[in-house]
């Protein structure tokens, strides 16, 4: 086929095709990270799989870069590009729950907020992220760490099947039976293999949880983090959550004179019987005196969206991350040294436990390789003022360099920055060579390269 024109693309697409001539262009090209300012040639606001197929064909036939956008939360800005094609799936957000089979099928642009709103009335959930405006697609394809991971596994461990538009413009079903090699690669391999137009997940009975944030003085941070790491190693798997560092926002449960102070936190999520929640969280209260807390029974979606207000669209983002097998005293000391420098109330450091059910999956069973890691640490630099970029990026990098010697070589693909692309082999460990083979099968020309890229 020869080159396709924008008019030919419009004829094929049920959704909207937006170019720089359209009034909607500036709004349509905006992504979550305001540090990213790209001007695509064409944005296809897809409403169905056929639109995605058309966008993929258009990019391939015209030799253009192709970006696939779901929730638009990609910190490196992989959901957009200059002078290329954006397949924007954000209009594809339907979720269909099968309460008998305990599954849910979510379209490619679905956010975790959409997903939870659909499954919660049935008293069902799966492992989602920490921010509900995150897309299910990006999170799942990179692995999927969240509150329920210790009990249910990663998001990708709960993936039953996926509909995928591959580089040749075909729609394939990937599951344990059909295109099993593709299904293996999608579970942790990122957006390297195609544009996923729908995800089918296994659900578990989780409706209301007992949990929330507890704030501790910074001087107790080392004690709190060490005690959390020791406790979570063999705690009941219904117990999720993580230690963190955070500047206190102006919330009613925090004493007014402490707003703006930096604290150590434990964010807890007990997904077992509610009447056992208080007892399950008691060890956390014993770590050190609690300055403030907002803990109790709540719907799971309420906890899953509790931090949304701290990360509105339009912040500057720069993140670094590593997997940690053992949280050593030296690692904790590095956190204690750098965490007080948090540059803004939006910035945070989370140390996610990924043991329990995550460890029961073999390292080669999915593309997510670090099944022996106990924690995934993220230094999430987020702030509103672009003039502070240089100083705040330096803070993230210095913090990362201090913790890296006490961590694994690889990190969680969803937390990688644009300047981390050189770590791709380390991030996939022993699974890298097999991922290259799958890439060669489904995307030999590397059409899907705007990601943490696995080169064919």
């Amino acid at each position: 086929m020869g080159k396709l024109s924008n008019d030919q693309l419009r004829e094929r697409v049920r959704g909207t095709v937006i170019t720089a001539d359209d009034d909607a262009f500036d709004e349509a090209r905006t992504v979550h990270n305001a540090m990213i300012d790209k001007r695509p040639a064409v944005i296809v606001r897809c409403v169905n799989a056929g639109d995605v197929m058309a966008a993929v064909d258009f990019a391939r036939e015209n030799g253009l870069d192709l970006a696939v956008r779901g929730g638009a939360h990609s910190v490196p800005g992989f959901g957009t590009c200059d002078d290329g094609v954006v397949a924007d799936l954000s209009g594809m957000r339907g979720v269909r729950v099968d309460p008998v089979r305990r599954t849910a099928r979510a379209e490619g642009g679905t956010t975790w907020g959409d997903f939870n709103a659909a499954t919660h009335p049935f008293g069902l959930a799966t492992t989602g992220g920490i921010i509900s405006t995150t897309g299910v697609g990006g999170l799942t394809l990179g692995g999927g760490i969240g509150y329920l991971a210790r009990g249910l596994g990663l998001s990708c461990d709960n993936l039953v099947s996926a509909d995928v538009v591959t580089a040749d413009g075909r729609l394939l079903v990937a599951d344990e039976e059909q295109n099993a090699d593709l299904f293996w690669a999608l579970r942790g391999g990122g957006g390297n293999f195609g544009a996923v137009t729908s995800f089918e997940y296994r659900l578990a009975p989780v409706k209301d949880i007992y949990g929330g944030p507890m704030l501790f003085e910074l001087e107790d941070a080392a004690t709190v983090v060490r005690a959390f790491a020791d406790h979570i190693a063999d705690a009941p798997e219904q117990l999720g959550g993580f230690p963190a560092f955070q500047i206190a926002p102006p919330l009613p449960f925090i004493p007014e004179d402490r707003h703006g102070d930096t604290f150590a936190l434990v964010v807890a999520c007990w997904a077992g019987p509610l009447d056992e929640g208080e007892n399950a969280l008691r060890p956390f209260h014993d770590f050190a005196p609690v300055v403030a807390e907002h803990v109790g029974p709540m719907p799971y979606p309420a906890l899953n969206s509790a931090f949304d207000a701290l990360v509105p669209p339009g912040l500057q983002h720069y993140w670094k991350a590593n997997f940690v097998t053992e949280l050593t005293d030296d690692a904790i000391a590095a956190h204690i040294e750098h965490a007080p420098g948090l540059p803004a109330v939006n910035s945070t450091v989370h140390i996610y436990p990924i043991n329990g059910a995550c460890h029961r999956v073999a390292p080669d069973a999915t593309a997510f390789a670090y099944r022996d890691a106990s924690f995934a640490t993220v230094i999430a630099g987020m702030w509103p003022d672009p003039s502070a970029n240089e100083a705040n990026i330096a803070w993230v990098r210095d913090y990362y360099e201090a913790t890296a010697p006490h961590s694994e070589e690889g990190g969680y693909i969803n937390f990688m920055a644009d300047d981390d692309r050189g770590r791709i082999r380390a991030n996939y460990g022993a699974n890298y060579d097999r991922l290259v083979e799958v890439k060669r099968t489904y995307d030999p020309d590397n059409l899907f390269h705007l990601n943490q890229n696995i080169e064919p």
Side-chain angles (χ1 to χ4, degrees), residues 12 46-55 92 107 163 165 169 171 197:
R12 270 196 67 184
C46 305
V47 299
N48 58 34
D51 287 358
V52 180
M53 294 160 74
M92 298 171 59
E107 290 185 308
D163 294 342
V165 178
L171 181 75
T197 59

Side-chain angles (χ1 to χ4, degrees), residues 16-291:
T16 313
V17 175
I18 299 169
T19 65
D21 300 331
D22 295 302
D23 292 341
F25 181 69
D26 279 334
E27 183 261 328
R29 71 186 182 88
T30 301
V31 291
H32 200 72
N33 181 2
M35 214 180 270
I36 311 297
D37 184 23
K38 301 281 178 76
R39 298 181 66 84
V42 177
I43 300 166
V44 182
R45 284 191 156 160
C46 305
V47 299
N48 58 34
D51 287 358
V52 180
M53 294 160 74
V56 169
D57 286 342
F58 185 83
R60 185 189 65 251
E61 299 296 344
N62 289 328
L64 297 172
D65 280 346
L66 173 65
V68 181
R69 179 187 306 168
H73 273 234
S74 166
V75 170
F78 291 145
T80 187
C81 57
D82 280 322
D83 305 319
V85 179
V86 173
D88 182 354
L89 276 57
S90 62
M92 298 171 59
R93 293 167 69 164
V95 182
R96 183 169 58 82
V97 180
D98 184 335
V100 177
R101 289 180 61 232
R102 285 187 179 170
T103 59
R105 183 171 285 283
E107 290 185 308
T110 303
T111 66
W112 285 107
D114 301 327
F115 189 88
N116 294 338
T119 61
H120 185 255
F122 297 98
L124 298 169
T126 199
T127 303
I130 305 299
I131 304 296
S132 79
T133 53
T134 308
V136 303
L139 190 95
T140 302
L141 293 173
I145 295 168
Y147 290 109
L148 305 178
R150 292 188 69 245
L152 303 183
L154 304 171
S155 304
C156 72
D157 297 336
N158 291 283
L159 190 66
V160 179
S161 73
D163 294 342
V164 192
V165 178
T166 49
D168 56 6
R170 290 182 302 156
L171 181 75
L172 302 180
V173 175
D175 58 24
E176 293 285 7
E177 305 294 325
Q178 306 168 81
N179 303 301
D181 55 343
L182 177 60
F183 185 56
W184 174 85
L186 293 174
R187 288 173 291 166
N192 275 284
F193 308 98
V196 182
T197 59
S198 82
F199 298 81
E200 185 184 10
Y201 297 93
R202 185 181 306 106
L203 304 176
V206 176
K207 188 166 192 181
D208 295 339
I209 58 91
Y210 189 98
M214 293 165 252
L215 278 63
F216 301 88
E217 297 289 6
L218 217 44
E219 65 200 38
D220 292 323
T223 303
V224 169
V225 175
R226 164 55 53 222
F228 181 95
D230 291 346
H231 181 69
I232 209 72
D234 53 9
E237 290 181 2
Q238 298 103 313
L239 184 63
F242 51 90
F245 297 95
Q246 182 79 49
I247 295 172
L251 293 171
F253 72 91
I254 301 171
E256 202 169 330
D257 63 340
R258 304 305 305 274
H259 294 174
D261 289 358
T262 302
F263 290 94
L265 274 75
V266 168
V267 184
C269 175
W270 171 255
L274 279 183
D275 58 2
E276 297 174 15
E278 188 176 347
N279 205 37
L281 268 56
R282 186 164 288 122
F284 296 153
H285 290 92
D286 295 341
F287 292 167
V290 176
V291 178

Side-chain angles (χ1 to χ4, degrees), residues 378-416:
V378 60
I379 304 157
M382 301 179 278
W383 57 91
D385 182 5
S387 69
N389 285 7
E390 191 175 342
N392 293 349
I393 287 170
W395 170 79
V396 175
R397 286 178 174 160
D398 290 348
Y399 195 144
Y400 168 76
E401 283 165 13
T403 55
H406 314 292
S407 308
E408 298 302 308
E409 188 184 358
Y412 178 39
I413 211 82
N414 288 345
F415 293 158
M416 293 293 127

Side-chain angles (χ1 to χ4, degrees), residues 300-362:
Y300 166 69
L303 182 63
N304 201 214
S305 61
F307 297 103
D308 289 4
L310 290 174
V311 286
L315 297 175
Q316 309 288 307
H317 288 253
Y318 184 79
W319 299 16
K320 287 284 178 195
N322 272 98
F323 288 120
V324 181
T325 300
E326 184 191 356
L327 201 55
T328 62
D329 290 341
D330 287 344
I332 293 170
H335 282 287
I336 304 307
E337 180 186 349
H338 290 271
L342 282 162
V345 69
N346 320 93
S347 294
T348 193
V349 178
H350 291 175
I351 305 172
Y352 300 116
I354 47 171
N355 58 355
C358 303
H359 281 185
R360 289 198 294 276
V361 178

